[in-house]
Amino acid sequence: MKNKACILLVIIFCVNIGYAQTDNIQTKVDKYIKWMTRKKNPNIWGASAKLYALGTNASPVIKRKYRTLPVVAQLGCLKALVSLGELDYAQQKLLVILKERNPRDIKTMATGMLEVIGDFELEEDLLEILDKTFDPYVKIAIAKLTWQISRAPDAIKSLKGFLKVDNFRIQAAAAIALGEVGNINVALPILNKLKEQPTSQGRMAQILLDHDAQINHYETLLSSQATKPKTEVKNDKLKYPLVDEVIKKINEYHVEGDKFSKEKLVNSAVDGIVSGTDVHSAFWTKKEWDDFVRTAINEEYVGIGVYVGEQDGQFTIISPVYSGPAYKAGIRSMDKILEVNGWSTRDKTMDDIIKKIKGDQGTSVELKVYRKGWSKARDIEVNREKIRVPSLFSQMLPGNIGYVKLTQFGRKGTADMEKALLQLEKQNMEAFILDLRGNGGGWLQVAVDIIDKFVAGKKLVVYSEGRHPEKGKRYNYYSTNNTHPNFPMVVLVDESSASASEVVSGALKHYKRAQIIGQRTFGKGSVQEPIPLDTRSGARLKLTIALYYLPDGSCIHNIMDTEGKIVERKGVVPDIEVNYNDFESWKNEEFTRLEESKAFENYLDKHYKNNKKLFHKLADNDQLNHDLYPGFNEWHKSLKTKASKNDTRYWLRLKTRARVSDDRGKQYACDYLEDPMLQRGIWELCKKIKIDAEKIDEYNIFAEKWKK
């Protein structure tokens, strides 16, 4: 009994120590922040250093205080957080400071801090801020930073532009910035004039000029070495003679050898070298990098907002983006585009047509559109606008079960998820399904932010680690504070759930915050970084520099042999394994045949308009009953198909849901009636919130299956 009492006292003593340490940190953070906010002689940077000295336990306390502080004190806190390794958090807050209306010195200091972080992912945001900034000194600072992290040509162009203004102070600031980023030649006249001034700018100009003189000196020495007799450099003529010989032989002997440029063949050689490392590393030419930035990183683009394809040899709208200008102008699924501004699309390639439709924001394009049932084609004018590609779809399911299908971890994924959760909570959500099936990943920080919404307290959710002492050093990602109720939760995954999807599902599984249902995930837990190349301006070497590890130290990345074959499957193993329904190959062929014969289109053309309310109901839930469709048996008989009535009902309902989506201007988020993984998730959550799925009309059709 005495031993138990002693143990209890020790536990209480340790807990009290923990509380005391927390209170002590809280007190010190309050004290140092007060130094930053006092009216006379605020000690911003001294207080920042003190905050850093408190260690990582101070980070969540600083973050809680951050919002209430004046912007100068926020800068001091961010400097401390940068030193504490909270780079992603600090980066986002510094961008906010640059975007908001703040004084010049504040924005300049924020830019300086971003230089310390130096993340190439900032390029898109910085270029946008650069375009909207009018203060020349702030613009110079941002342009300099943008060039340092991404080598964006617009940044140098902006800096050079300031050399031509009438104000010498602005010229001087731009000249120094150009000198600091290695473009000194164009700024030499101004730097030579500036060096005579007894100011800090004058001293900096002199330093830059001295540095440039040293570089010129050494380049002259190297040049003189290169002009020595050939016998001295004979053995250094070719470091890799095989590559040069192969290129020469291709140009000489290949049937089309005269068409291959040396650059193209060298690029192919480099592709081969990089692909020999792992399947995720790659060499990107400048064009490939620019295309990646434009399409993969950006979730917005300028256009009319349509998904397109070819059907019956015609350019066809597969589906409009329902928030986009094309839908608002009257464009609908399966519309045929016959002309673009009077230019015929007949016998034209998809790429050529898309180029004609694209254009600058604020302009319009006139499309000649034909829709089945119209007596003739119609001209529809559509404005070109910024199109936001949806990153998620949400829906409240029967039984107050919220559902979110997250398609990618895009930059705005955190905000989109927060908005969706708040909307579902307003509708009295009692349980939640996060669907990550088919989600190939995206931004890691977005994954961490989403985990943070569900995991309480400061917990390690993932870490990355590699071999390089800097690029590969271990970096921990923590949750800070969950912002949503602790409702029962299910995460759906499949074999296509990869990278950030695996981080989210793996962390939520580790902390038992969610039940994982579906298939073992893809097994892609590697970190790639595009590295600029000194020898090829604008190109990038995308290399795997580290691996992701879950909180328990397990790595989700598949282990492969030298030929890229998986020798040990990793990924995230679900708590409950559920597979998709088997679909026989002949059914795919039969569906294609019926689709090409316009069987579904013709049926809907005949019945949809006069039974619109019924079809809306059937699209939501047809109870798997083909008899609910008007004239179904007669229609099915006319198809002369070996597919069952249930097969054709399923295919017909897919087409019906597309038409209903056009009517409503909203895409369906899910289909619980036909989706076994989703059904199992619903069944498990119904048990947790103590409701009987069999007594819910929409669920009773499948509930019996999972009851067994």
Side-chain angles (χ1 to χ4, degrees), residues 505-525:
S505 55
L508 295 178
K509 178 183 178 182
H510 173 79
Y511 288 113
K512 294 181 172 52
R513 177 62 188 84
Q515 196 171 26
I516 314 301
I517 295 177
Q519 300 171 318
R520 184 195 289 260
T521 60
F522 184 82
K524 195 273 184 186

Side-chain angles (χ1 to χ4, degrees), residues 136-169:
Y137 296 101
V138 177
K139 204 172 182 78
I140 287 168
I142 294 172
K144 172 188 162 188
L145 169 62
T146 306
W147 173 257
Q148 286 174 320
I149 67 169
S150 69
R151 298 297 191 266
D154 286 349
I156 288 295
K157 184 179 177 181
S158 180
L159 289 173
K160 289 179 178 178
F162 284 112
L163 297 178
K164 301 174 184 178
V165 302
D166 294 331
N167 188 317
F168 183 72
R169 288 181 61 196

Side-chain angles (χ1 to χ4, degrees), residues 434-492:
L434 175 60
D435 192 344
L436 298 178
R437 290 175 295 174
N439 187 323
W443 301 108
L444 176 64
Q445 186 57 47
V446 175
V448 174
D449 291 342
I450 288 174
I451 295 169
D452 196 35
K453 297 181 183 303
F454 307 113
V455 175
K458 182 177 179 179
K459 292 186 174 68
L460 176 68
V461 294
V462 66
Y463 67 90
S464 62
E465 192 169 21
R467 189 174 59 86
H468 192 273
E470 288 300 321
K471 296 288 187 184
K473 67 181 179 182
R474 174 165 173 161
Y475 190 81
N476 297 326
Y477 295 84
Y478 294 95
S479 64
T480 55
N481 182 32
N482 72 321
T483 54
H484 294 275
N486 193 33
F487 36 67
M489 184 175 175
V490 157
V491 178
L492 304 180

Side-chain angles (χ1 to χ4, degrees), residues 110-138:
T111 306
M113 285 192 211
L114 284 170
E115 283 186 32
V116 175
I117 300 173
D119 190 339
F120 80 94
E121 293 176 4
L122 290 169
E123 178 182 6
E124 180 191 349
D125 288 309
L126 289 176
L127 286 173
E128 181 182 348
I129 295 169
L130 182 65
D131 185 55
K132 294 179 180 179
T133 298
F134 298 101
D135 186 306
Y137 296 101
V138 177

Side-chain angles (χ1 to χ4, degrees), residues 21 67 85 162 205 211 286 296 311 327 338 405 417 468 485 508 545 637 654 674 691 699:
Q21 288 175 340
R67 294 181 185 176
F162 284 112
H211 180 65
K286 182 180 185 303
Q311 192 171 81
Y327 180 78
L338 307 182
K405 168 73 173 178
M417 177 65 77
H468 192 273
L508 295 178
I545 60 167
K637 186 177 180 179
L654 288 178
E674 312 276 3
I691 62 174
Y699 296 159

Side-chain angles (χ1 to χ4, degrees), residues 203-363:
R203 290 191 293 275
M204 177 57 75
Q206 186 64 64
I207 290 169
L208 290 170
L209 290 168
D210 290 344
H211 180 65
D212 185 56
Q214 279 188 325
I215 291 174
N216 289 333
H217 172 68
Y218 286 115
E219 284 181 347
T220 302
L221 288 176
L222 290 170
S223 178
S224 66
Q225 291 290 321
T227 58
K228 288 185 178 182
K230 290 185 178 180
T231 53
E232 294 186 29
V233 294
K234 183 176 180 181
N235 294 331
D236 196 37
K237 183 180 178 183
L238 290 174
K239 195 167 184 180
Y240 298 104
L242 176 61
V243 175
D244 275 19
E245 183 183 7
V246 169
I247 290 174
K248 183 180 178 182
K249 298 296 185 191
I250 289 172
N251 290 146
E252 186 176 357
Y253 294 111
H254 193 280
V255 67
E256 295 182 341
D258 57 332
K259 297 180 181 179
F260 301 127
S261 68
K262 185 172 182 179
E263 181 179 354
K264 176 180 174 60
L265 293 173
V266 169
N267 286 349
S268 298
V270 176
D271 276 335
I273 293 170
V274 180
S275 64
T277 60
D278 70 278
V279 295
H280 303 295
S281 294
F283 167 70
W284 284 337
T285 63
K286 182 180 185 303
K287 182 181 183 304
E288 289 168 337
W289 167 249
D290 291 342
D291 288 344
F292 169 76
V293 170
R294 185 177 67 254
T295 59
I297 294 179
N298 294 334
E299 292 167 66
E300 294 181 345
Y301 68 94
V302 174
I304 64 171
V306 288
Y307 300 102
V308 298
E310 185 178 305
Q311 192 171 81
D312 301 327
Q314 291 181 298
F315 186 79
T316 305
I317 304 298
I318 302 303
S319 173
V321 176
Y322 293 118
S323 60
Y327 180 78
K328 294 172 186 174
I331 301 292
R332 296 294 181 263
S333 301
M334 307 316 295
D335 282 353
K336 314 294 182 186
I337 307 301
L338 307 182
E339 293 180 5
V340 180
N341 287 333
W343 176 81
S344 174
T345 61
R346 182 183 293 274
D347 299 325
K348 303 298 193 305
T349 67
M350 293 280 290
D351 286 344
D352 286 341
I353 300 170
I354 291 169
K355 285 176 185 176
K356 286 284 185 182
I357 292 176
K358 285 183 176 180
D360 295 331
Q361 185 176 359
T363 62

Side-chain angles (χ1 to χ4, degrees), residues 28-139:
K28 287 185 177 180
V29 169
D30 290 341
K31 175 183 175 182
Y32 300 144
I33 287 178
K34 196 170 183 181
W35 290 4
M36 297 180 183
T37 55
R38 61 193 181 195
K39 292 182 179 179
K40 289 186 178 181
N41 302 319
N43 185 0
I44 306 297
W45 309 121
S48 178
K50 291 286 188 181
L51 288 174
Y52 167 59
L54 293 176
T56 55
N57 289 333
S59 294
V61 184
I62 297 170
K63 289 180 182 179
R64 285 198 295 270
K65 291 283 184 181
Y66 179 86
R67 294 181 185 176
T68 62
L69 301 177
V71 69
V72 177
Q74 287 182 342
L75 279 176
C77 289
L78 291 176
K79 186 175 185 303
L81 289 170
V82 168
S83 301
L84 290 169
E86 297 281 355
L87 301 184
D88 290 306
Y89 178 88
Q91 177 175 294
Q92 294 305 315
K93 298 301 181 185
L94 288 166
L95 286 174
V96 171
I97 290 173
L98 288 180
K99 290 176 181 178
E100 293 179 345
R101 304 181 81 178
N102 286 309
R104 175 189 298 166
D105 59 335
I106 294 294
K107 289 192 173 186
T108 305
M109 285 189 282
T111 306
M113 285 192 211
L114 284 170
E115 283 186 32
V116 175
I117 300 173
D119 190 339
F120 80 94
E121 293 176 4
L122 290 169
E123 178 182 6
E124 180 191 349
D125 288 309
L126 289 176
L127 286 173
E128 181 182 348
I129 295 169
L130 182 65
D131 185 55
K132 294 179 180 179
T133 298
F134 298 101
D135 186 306
Y137 296 101
V138 177
K139 204 172 182 78

